[in-house]
Amino acid sequence: LYTAPDSCEGRCGEPFNEEDECHCHPGCEAEHNCCEDHGRHCGPEGFSSSSGSISEQELLQLSEQLYGLDHNRARPSDIALNPQHLAGPEETGDRRDRSPQPLYRYVNEELFSKPTYASFIKLLDNYQRATGREEEVTAEELREQQRFLEEVMNTELMRKLFVFLQGKNRYGSEQEFLQDLNQMWFGLYSRGDGERDSSGFEHVFSGEVKKGKVSGFHNWIRFYLLEKQGVVNYFSHNFNGPWDTYPDVLGLQFSWDGFYKEVGSAFIGCSPEFEFGLYTLCFLARPGRACHLSLGGHRLSVQTYPWTKATYGGGRRFIATAYVMSP
């Protein structure tokens, strides 16, 4: 379903990219750098067709289209940030609070009444943040997951993403896409000693604590709500993206109840469906590799990783993490 970094499944004809660990472009045999299964997938009788691969140009074009379709994003007047200290490389790890004020001066909380925001926020209290503790999922929480997926699929942005993936033979129907989103994001797996204690959604959007450090936690809404409660303390930022509107990108240093996050990159001011859709696209197109995108004419990359120790649905992988990369 997705293109594994060491396989040519779904990648036949993909253009050469020096960041890839092995290659599937037409010249890889002459250059002796093909993936081991290149012949099996990309030969005359191969399992994968070049029509199913997603090119670099298609990623750039589609990400700009999704950016334009983020109708629920914050307007410039909806958020007032106070970034304060810009941390150098030698400062991000020293756990010093160099910003006495909160990161968010103001957020227009009317945003949170929009259906995708409201259903997203209901999910955030469904998780135990400590890894190694089994997650107990109630019937109500399952309904909340389903409601969130239904709300994001009601948006023009997610429908655009589905139509693109359907055209790449990744999904045959919207129902199949919904079911797979549910598994890849909400399916439970173990980051600890066998307990089903984590999921892609919990890690990326809600955040976890593992070995005394914050793990994941890449969502601006979650950050704002916890900062407002006084349990997140903003320390500094090491990157501020070039956007003069939302979504923007920040690289953050902060503590969460005393647990530290050295660099927690996040989109700021985007809708839940934008972040959810963009990470899904990159996980399906470039798992384990940099996914090069364009937003408002500015290039950026998203990194995703599949969870390699467990699968679902005949070998499909759960999302381990996804985040926007800040230089």
Side-chain angles (χ1 to χ4, degrees):
L1 178 69
Y2 64 79
T3 62
D6 58 352
S7 171
C8 281
E9 184 175 2
R11 292 176 56 199
C12 299
E14 186 179 277
F16 174 79
N17 184 333
E18 62 183 17
E19 294 175 0
D20 294 343
E21 59 185 77
C22 63
H23 303 278
C24 308
H25 63 285
C28 70
E29 288 182 333
E31 297 168 14
H32 306 292
N33 57 11
C34 296
C35 298
E36 286 187 9
D37 61 2
H38 176 265
R40 186 158 61 90
H41 284 292
C42 307
E45 306 297 324
F47 293 97
S48 298
S49 69
S50 58
S51 65
S53 67
I54 298 173
S55 71
E56 296 288 293
Q57 190 60 37
E58 285 173 321
L59 284 173
L60 296 174
Q61 290 173 345
L62 181 59
S63 55
E64 284 288 4
Q65 290 168 346
L66 298 180
Y67 177 75
L69 291 174
D70 190 10
H71 305 311
N72 288 327
R73 72 173 75 170
R75 296 161 305 194
S77 60
D78 287 329
I79 298 176
L81 288 178
N82 186 16
Q84 301 166 81
H85 185 74
L86 177 63
E90 71 287 350
E91 294 177 323
T92 58
D94 66 9
R95 305 185 182 214
R96 282 184 57 194
D97 183 358
R98 293 180 166 87
S99 301
Q101 302 300 317
L103 173 61
Y104 288 94
R105 276 204 185 100
Y106 167 77
V107 170
N108 177 9
E109 294 193 10
E110 288 183 14
L111 282 171
F112 301 159
S113 64
K114 293 174 182 280
T116 56
Y117 285 82
S119 58
F120 173 83
I121 289 169
K122 279 187 175 295
L123 297 171
L124 295 176
D125 64 357
N126 290 355
Y127 301 102
Q128 302 183 67
R129 68 180 180 184
T131 58
R133 294 174 62 187
E134 182 101 13
E135 292 289 348
E136 296 179 12
V137 184
T138 66
E140 176 64 22
E141 288 170 352
L142 289 173
R143 284 192 292 271
E144 288 173 356
Q145 291 173 12
Q146 198 59 39
R147 169 60 63 87
F148 171 71
L149 291 172
E150 289 170 358
E151 293 295 356
V152 296
M153 284 307 299
N154 281 336
T155 66
E156 196 178 350
L157 186 155
M158 285 296 287
R159 288 197 297 270
K160 175 71 177 178
L161 175 61
F162 165 68
V163 168
F164 174 82
L165 293 170
Q166 185 182 41
K168 291 294 181 180
N169 303 312
R170 304 298 174 103
Y171 298 100
S173 68
E174 191 170 309
Q175 186 60 33
E176 185 188 351
F177 183 43
L178 261 175
Q179 289 171 349
D180 200 44
L181 286 172
N182 190 37
Q183 286 289 342
M184 75 170 77
W185 279 106
F186 294 106
L188 293 173
Y189 51 81
S190 173
R191 289 184 192 263
D193 300 317
E195 302 89 353
R196 296 201 311 158
D197 60 353
S198 187
S199 69
F201 186 93
E202 177 187 5
H203 180 86
V204 172
F205 295 104
S206 184
E208 299 179 297
V209 171
K210 183 176 182 180
K211 297 180 179 177
K213 292 183 178 180
V214 177
S215 181
F217 197 141
H218 298 286
N219 179 255
W220 77 271
I221 300 167
R222 174 71 161 164
F223 190 103
Y224 165 74
L225 293 172
L226 291 182
E227 185 179 61
K228 184 182 174 184
Q229 293 174 25
V231 295
V232 158
N233 180 17
Y234 170 69
F235 280 24
S236 58
H237 69 287
N238 66 304
F239 174 75
N240 191 343
W243 294 270
D244 55 9
T245 184
Y246 297 113
D248 200 349
V249 177
L250 277 180
L252 306 171
Q253 289 72 52
F254 62 92
S255 72
W256 179 17
D257 269 346
F259 299 103
Y260 188 61
K261 182 72 174 181
E262 187 169 319
V263 179
S265 59
F267 286 108
I268 308 294
C270 66
S271 68
E273 62 267 27
F274 175 83
E275 201 169 3
F276 190 73
L278 217 60
Y279 289 158
T280 298
L281 168 64
C282 285
F283 180 68
L284 294 171
R286 303 286 188 271
R289 297 179 287 155
C291 178
H292 302 301
L293 308 173
S294 178
L295 303 183
H298 297 287
R299 297 291 184 97
L300 79 164
S301 298
V302 163
Q303 180 73 49
T304 66
Y305 288 103
W307 187 252
T308 59
K309 298 175 183 177
T311 61
Y312 68 90
R316 296 181 182 184
R317 299 283 188 190
F318 300 102
I319 290 175
T321 192
Y323 53 91
V324 58
M325 289 197 280
S326 54

